Amino acid sequence: MRLQGISDWGLADAGLAVWVGRVGLAGSCHSLEFVMRSTGRISLIVSSLVCGGVVSAQPLATKAFEFSIPSIMRGPELYGREPQRVQWSADGRWLYFQWNPPGTDWREPTHLYRVRASGGSTPERVPDAQLDSVSALLETGDLARDRRSRVVSAQGDLYIVSLPSGAVRRLTETVAEERDPHFSADGRRVFFVRENNVFSIDLDGGLVRQLTDVRSGPAPKDSAKAEGQRGTLEEQQRELFDVIRDRVRADSVRKAEQKAREALRVKPFYLGTNERIASLSVSPTANALLLVTSVTADKATQTRVPNYVTTSGYTEELTVRTKVGDAQSGGRVAYMKLPSGDLTWLQVVPADTTKPPSQVTTLGWSDDGSAALIFAEARNYKSRYIHKFEAATGKLETLDTLRDSAWVGGPCYGCGGWYDGGKRVWFVSEADGYAHLYTMDPNGQDRRQLTSGKWEVTGAQLSADKRSFELHTSEASPFEQHFYRMPVAGGSRERITTKAGGHNVVVSPDGTLLADVYSSANRPPELFVMPYRAGAAATQLTTSPTAEWLAFHWITPEIVRIPASDGVQVPARIYRPKDVGAQPNGAGVIFVHGAGYLHNVHNYWSSYSREYMFNQYLASKGYVVLDIDYRGSAGYGRDWRTAIYRWMGGRDLQDNVDGSRYLQKEFGIDPERVGIYGGSYGGFITLMALFTEPKHFGAGAGLRSVTDWAHYNHPYTARILNQPQDDSIAYHRSSPIYFAQGLEDPLLMAHGMVDVNVHFQDIVRLTQRLIELGKTNWELAPYPVEDHGFVRPSSWADEYRRIFELFETHLAKRGPAAANPGEHK
């Protein structure tokens, strides 16, 4: 028997017996994991404890993992649920998170769990009866200046949480929802929003004041004075009768008294037709208010999606989104002076007075409440503005403008705020081509770039003591995400996390510990805790996958660079038969991730978890599989992000074509034996590949595919292709339905019939087009109860069985002739 640490060796191979032990010295117990290899299948897990040289062992039966498509498609029931919404308790002793234990039925929603931050305990589910009592402790909210309390909204009510004791004081208990609470500058009041209005509550006496009076419109009009025949009759009545003159006099007095009373109250503001309050933000000194409204487009046509398999037995329709280019919702931004209620509308997109902004948010108020930061994006998505708003005067001053000939965006888009007591502001911008951190003074002067390089800031915040920026970045590698600390003045960054992979960190209330949701390429995210110190050891607090899944040898796919036809080196994950001990079958497959702007080639857990396993399954059957971060993917800067502007299916498709060339050059795979598959945007690329580049592919499976971009949603599509009525060329050359005549190779199309994102209508229209073109080598697999992201394992298994059978039928060679000349590479 050979002993070797599992943490060093990696993953247990299928077909091995696994032993887990603990070794202790000098009377204490210490952990050491080791394995025993044998020729049989995994049959036993033994937990051993060595304390002062005494070993105890207890056998536990372990089910061998069935490496099959139905087994893989069990999804999170197999590889676990990621710990989500991680929150520290106020005293830092506990970590709360949404989760489910290994093997939980796929139908079961996640539940609230907690685990001791000190480690050494098993996560325990928080009973439903205790959810109300702990909910306030788990919410983030505004921190008081003395950092001794936090105000939060939990389940629609307001609470003050004392720090670090965690004592909770309830402020409201109402049917109406109270939200967005903030302390006043002096800490004696809390401002909050209730039913589209701003209120304050005195923390000493509990007095609640209404600071705004926003009402549904239109505003009432004063009764018009009668004219003509009616006016003559009314005048006659006043001349003839004392009682009428008395009534008119009393009515005038009543109206005058009412106006006098109203003058002492908050001035009402009436919303327009179809208008509602989107957000409200009051200054810490309660002298000014910023409000953003949204106006629903009354002429827009929303798509209706039929749902056939229903409880009632009748077909039911879901009313969902509009299509790109249709009438869009608008909105306005206003400054309200308090307590008078006087309102001034602000022009937050300086270059456009005719169209509302596509989005507006408040990035926060200065500590003294004298100014706020406003983030605004133009309706055409090509300009972004950061303004300073002065509460005393209502003046709006533009501090920073970002323009892009394609569209503005990038990671941490919309990150920003104040620091240094209101003396400086910070924000993240792609100004130099990569998302980096910038600061300046509140007058727009002394602009400084605090980070730089061919990497990106993916998350940024001020530390609790406001002395440091806490960053998540790809500085170490485009394929990793780490947590850094940097002084607010800039300078060298301290990398806190060191283990290769992806880290998502939440700092403890006292700033001494980190909760780290960490994953590697072959291990799903787990919750760890570590001291807030560079390179400190981390303790694992959760284990999410089943034992059978953990026992299998899941590989870490190598990341390679594919030479693109324009000279760029394109990153890709590769799954080779030799990586899993299989023989090549002479075929290759390219997996195309969805979402377009998504990062999938990295050394941490993929959001495409089933495909990660399926790609290894394909490799075990002899296929060489590539997973490419084609142009348009996230993680590589502005130029990579916008390379698909006005032509989706252009540079992004060519990167996948170059992947086919790579398989031919490096592995000797005939392009007619290269398959391609993917969902959503990946399905769109698959269709474009088979319709426009058939000589590079032999078969494809397009899942929940966009077939015509003029039928997709506005916010995503209009950024990249403009509007269909304004840029018909971009839509025509980007939509597969216009190129369906180019289909030569076998095509599988699979689509959920209740897809409210990429509607089933999309694939129906393409199907009719293929019928009219007389195409015969295609198949449509509809899934009657599935939305865009499938839920039921049976649907997943059926879909991927069809994909595998497509490739087996049309791509794979069998026998001695299957060996690839380049398999040694």
Side-chain angles (χ1 to χ4, degrees):
M1 182 175 73
R2 182 169 66 91
L3 302 183
Q4 184 176 7
I6 290 178
S7 61
D8 297 328
W9 176 53
L11 302 170
D13 288 316
L16 307 180
V18 179
W19 293 73
V20 179
R22 297 174 185 264
V23 177
L25 299 175
S28 61
C29 302
H30 300 278
S31 296
L32 173 64
E33 295 178 328
F34 55 91
V35 300
M36 181 180 74
R37 302 194 179 198
S38 74
T39 57
R41 65 180 177 85
I42 296 179
S43 58
L44 190 69
I45 291 184
V46 178
S47 177
S48 300
L49 185 65
V50 181
C51 297
V54 178
V55 181
S56 63
Q58 182 177 1
L60 296 173
T62 301
K63 179 183 177 182
F65 178 69
E66 179 189 339
F67 194 34
S68 67
I69 291 174
S71 178
I72 289 171
M73 296 305 153
R74 286 182 286 164
E77 186 175 303
L78 180 68
Y79 56 75
R81 273 76 167 182
E82 172 183 350
Q84 295 180 319
R85 297 185 62 193
V86 176
Q87 296 286 345
W88 289 89
S89 62
D91 59 10
R93 296 173 56 194
W94 293 89
L95 282 162
Y96 290 81
F97 52 98
Q98 294 293 130
W99 188 65
N100 274 338
T104 303
D105 188 275
W106 63 271
R107 301 171 187 84
E108 186 73 15
T110 58
H111 298 282
L112 182 64
Y113 279 77
R114 72 173 189 171
V115 66
R116 291 187 182 277
S118 58
S121 62
T122 302
E124 58 188 52
R125 180 174 169 181
V126 178
D128 292 342
Q130 296 181 15
L131 291 179
D132 287 342
S133 62
V134 302
S135 60
L137 299 174
L138 306 181
E139 296 293 338
T140 58
D142 189 39
L143 187 67
R145 284 192 178 185
D146 61 9
R147 302 176 61 190
R148 296 174 60 184
S149 59
R150 186 183 302 276
V151 60
V152 303
S153 172
Q155 300 182 350
D157 291 315
L158 303 182
Y159 300 82
I160 297 288
V161 179
S162 298
L163 303 176
S165 68
V168 176
R169 172 189 172 191
R170 188 168 196 156
L171 297 181
T172 66
E173 187 174 4
T174 64
V175 175
E177 178 187 15
E178 287 96 20
R179 58 183 174 86
D180 197 26
H182 287 81
F183 284 107
S184 63
D186 59 13
R188 299 174 62 184
R189 289 184 292 169
V190 167
F191 303 114
F192 63 94
V193 177
R194 176 196 290 163
E195 294 178 334
N196 282 338
N197 277 291
V198 176
F199 294 77
S200 71
I201 181 169
D202 291 334
L203 296 181
D204 292 334
L207 177 66
V208 176
R209 294 183 177 91
Q210 184 170 340
L211 304 183
T212 65
D213 186 6
V214 179
R215 305 179 184 181
S216 298
K221 297 180 180 179
D222 292 334
S223 300
K225 185 177 180 180
E227 297 179 352
Q229 176 260 352
R230 293 184 181 181
T232 301
L233 290 180
E234 289 185 6
E235 180 63 30
Q236 183 186 43
Q237 293 294 91
R238 288 193 294 272
E239 291 178 359
L240 291 172
F241 302 108
D242 287 339
V243 64
I244 298 300
R245 289 191 293 272
D246 291 343
R247 289 175 183 173
V248 171
R249 186 182 306 106
D251 185 58
S252 297
V253 172
R254 180 184 61 79
K255 288 181 178 180
E257 291 175 345
Q258 181 178 351
K259 287 184 177 181
R261 289 193 300 270
E262 289 178 348
L264 301 176
R265 298 177 180 175
V266 178
K267 183 182 298 184
F269 161 59
Y270 289 89
L271 299 171
T273 304
N274 297 330
E275 188 172 23
R276 65 179 182 84
I277 297 295
S279 65
L280 290 168
S281 179
V282 65
S283 72
T285 52
N287 65 333
L289 170 74
L290 288 171
L291 62 87
V292 179
T293 74
S294 64
V295 182
T296 303
D298 56 358
K299 296 182 180 180
T301 301
Q302 292 181 294
T303 305
R304 295 181 179 180
V305 174
N307 185 9
Y308 294 96
V309 183
T310 63
T311 303
S312 68
Y314 289 87
T315 300
E316 301 170 1
E317 289 187 334
L318 306 176
T319 302
V320 294
R321 62 165 173 80
T322 61
K323 299 182 187 293
V324 60
D326 201 348
Q328 299 299 308
S329 298
R332 300 185 287 175
V333 186
Y335 150 62
M336 181 181 289
K337 194 171 183 177
L338 297 177
S340 69
D342 294 334
L343 203 71
T344 303
W345 294 103
L346 303 177
Q347 186 177 329
V348 294
V349 180
D352 193 344
T353 59
T354 61
K355 297 179 182 178
S358 63
Q359 63 170 299
V360 182
T361 56
T362 303
L363 300 182
W365 291 85
S366 59
D367 290 348
D368 62 4
S370 63
L373 289 181
I374 299 176
F375 175 98
E377 182 184 71
R379 174 61 67 175
N380 64 3
Y381 309 111
K382 298 183 185 300
S383 302
R384 184 275 290 144
Y385 305 89
I386 296 177
H387 306 290
K388 181 184 70 171
F389 165 76
E390 293 184 355
T393 64
K395 179 183 177 182
L396 202 65
E397 179 183 358
T398 303
L399 301 183
D400 186 78
T401 302
L402 180 66
R403 304 184 192 278
D404 199 302
S405 57
W407 75 96
V408 290
C412 217
Y413 186 60
C415 294
W418 299 83
Y419 72 104
D420 195 16
K423 297 177 182 177
R424 295 194 69 80
V425 300
W426 68 272
F427 56 92
V428 174
S429 171
E430 275 189 335
D432 73 346
Y434 291 84
H436 283 297
L437 182 65
Y438 294 80
T439 71
M440 63 175 59
D441 68 31
N443 297 316
Q445 305 298 314
D446 191 26
R447 176 187 171 108
R448 305 174 191 173
Q449 182 173 351
L450 300 190
T451 65
S452 63
K454 294 184 177 181
W455 48 273
E456 297 184 311
V457 173
T458 57
Q461 65 180 22
L462 278 172
S463 61
D465 61 9
K466 299 185 179 181
R467 299 170 59 186
S468 303
F469 284 111
E470 295 171 334
L471 311 173
H472 287 88
T473 85
S474 60
E475 181 174 2
S477 165
F479 314 123
E480 297 183 18
Q481 177 173 280
H482 287 280
F483 180 71
Y484 290 78
R485 177 170 53 193
M486 179 181 68
V488 291
S492 61
R493 289 169 295 281
E494 183 182 21
R495 176 172 157 182
I496 306 300
T497 57
T498 56
K499 196 171 184 179
H503 299 264
N504 188 6
V505 168
V506 181
V507 183
S508 67
D510 63 1
T512 63
L513 296 173
L514 303 179
D516 182 8
V517 179
Y518 164 77
S519 70
S520 60
N522 62 355
R523 282 290 185 267
E526 300 287 8
L527 178 60
F528 292 76
V529 67
M530 61 178 286
Y532 195 162
R533 186 176 67 250
T539 300
Q540 185 171 340
L541 302 180
T542 62
T543 298
S544 301
T546 61
E548 59 174 308
W549 190 90
L550 287 170
F552 192 74
H553 179 54
W554 299 106
I555 68 170
T556 298
E558 181 184 351
I559 296 176
V560 297
R561 298 278 187 169
I562 295 173
S565 51
D566 63 351
V568 173
Q569 297 291 310
V570 178
R573 287 186 179 196
I574 190 167
Y575 303 78
R576 293 166 292 217
K578 72 175 185 179
D579 298 334
V580 293
Q583 294 298 313
N585 67 3
V589 171
I590 295 176
F591 165 64
V592 189
H593 70 69
Y597 191 63
L598 180 142
H599 191 26
N600 202 49
V601 177
H602 45 60
N603 287 320
Y604 45 94
W605 190 245
S606 172
S607 58
Y608 285 89
S609 309
R610 290 180 177 88
E611 287 77 6
Y612 163 76
M613 295 185 287
F614 182 65
N615 289 341
Q616 292 183 60
Y617 181 80
L618 289 174
S620 76
K621 300 300 182 181
Y623 297 87
V624 181
V625 184
L626 286 178
D627 169 8
I628 303 172
D629 263 356
Y630 51 86
R631 241 65 67 91
S633 299
Y636 307 99
R638 180 267 171 196
D639 290 349
W640 202 279
R641 176 178 65 81
T642 61
I644 58 173
Y645 178 59
R646 297 192 66 239
W647 193 4
M648 292 191 277
R651 187 62 256 175
D652 47 1
L653 172 59
Q654 289 307 307
D655 287 345
N656 287 281
V657 168
D658 291 332
S660 176
R661 293 191 178 104
Y662 176 88
L663 291 174
Q664 181 179 15
K665 179 181 177 182
E666 297 295 324
F667 297 91
I669 298 175
D670 184 339
E672 285 300 317
R673 295 193 180 279
V674 175
I676 185 170
Y677 84 100
S680 194
Y681 199 96
F684 150 73
I685 288 290
T686 296
L687 296 178
M688 290 295 277
L690 267 60
F691 293 174
T692 68
E693 296 285 356
K695 67 179 181 179
H696 295 286
F697 303 95
L703 323 174
R704 53 195 180 275
S705 312
V706 176
T707 71
D708 185 345
W709 286 106
H711 288 253
Y712 197 51
N713 70 40
H714 187 90
Y716 181 90
T717 319
R719 281 179 162 83
I720 305 172
L721 300 180
N722 304 312
Q723 296 191 109
Q725 61 266 40
D726 301 329
D727 200 342
S728 59
I729 293 175
Y731 280 82
H732 187 284
R733 69 182 180 181
S734 298
S735 298
I737 198 167
Y738 291 105
F739 303 98
Q741 70 275 8
L743 179 63
E744 299 176 2
D745 299 305
L747 168 64
L748 166 65
M749 300 179 295
H751 213 114
M753 295 178 67
V754 202
D755 192 332
V756 298
N757 183 8
V758 181
H759 304 151
F760 189 64
Q761 180 196 27
D762 241 38
I763 207 67
V764 170
R765 293 177 69 247
L766 179 60
T767 299
Q768 180 61 24
R769 179 74 174 139
L770 293 172
I771 292 171
E772 293 181 1
L773 289 169
K775 299 296 181 180
T776 58
N777 53 348
W778 57 272
E779 172 190 3
L780 173 62
Y783 293 87
V785 300
E786 296 293 359
D787 197 343
H788 193 63
F790 284 14
V791 173
R792 303 187 69 83
S794 57
S795 300
W796 282 103
D798 183 84
E799 183 178 50
Y800 278 75
R801 171 190 60 81
R802 293 174 185 272
I803 299 170
F804 180 65
E805 290 176 356
L806 173 77
F807 294 158
E808 284 286 277
T809 301
H810 299 285
L811 304 179
K813 295 178 182 179
R814 294 302 173 198
N820 295 325
E823 176 61 16
H824 65 283
K825 295 187 178 181

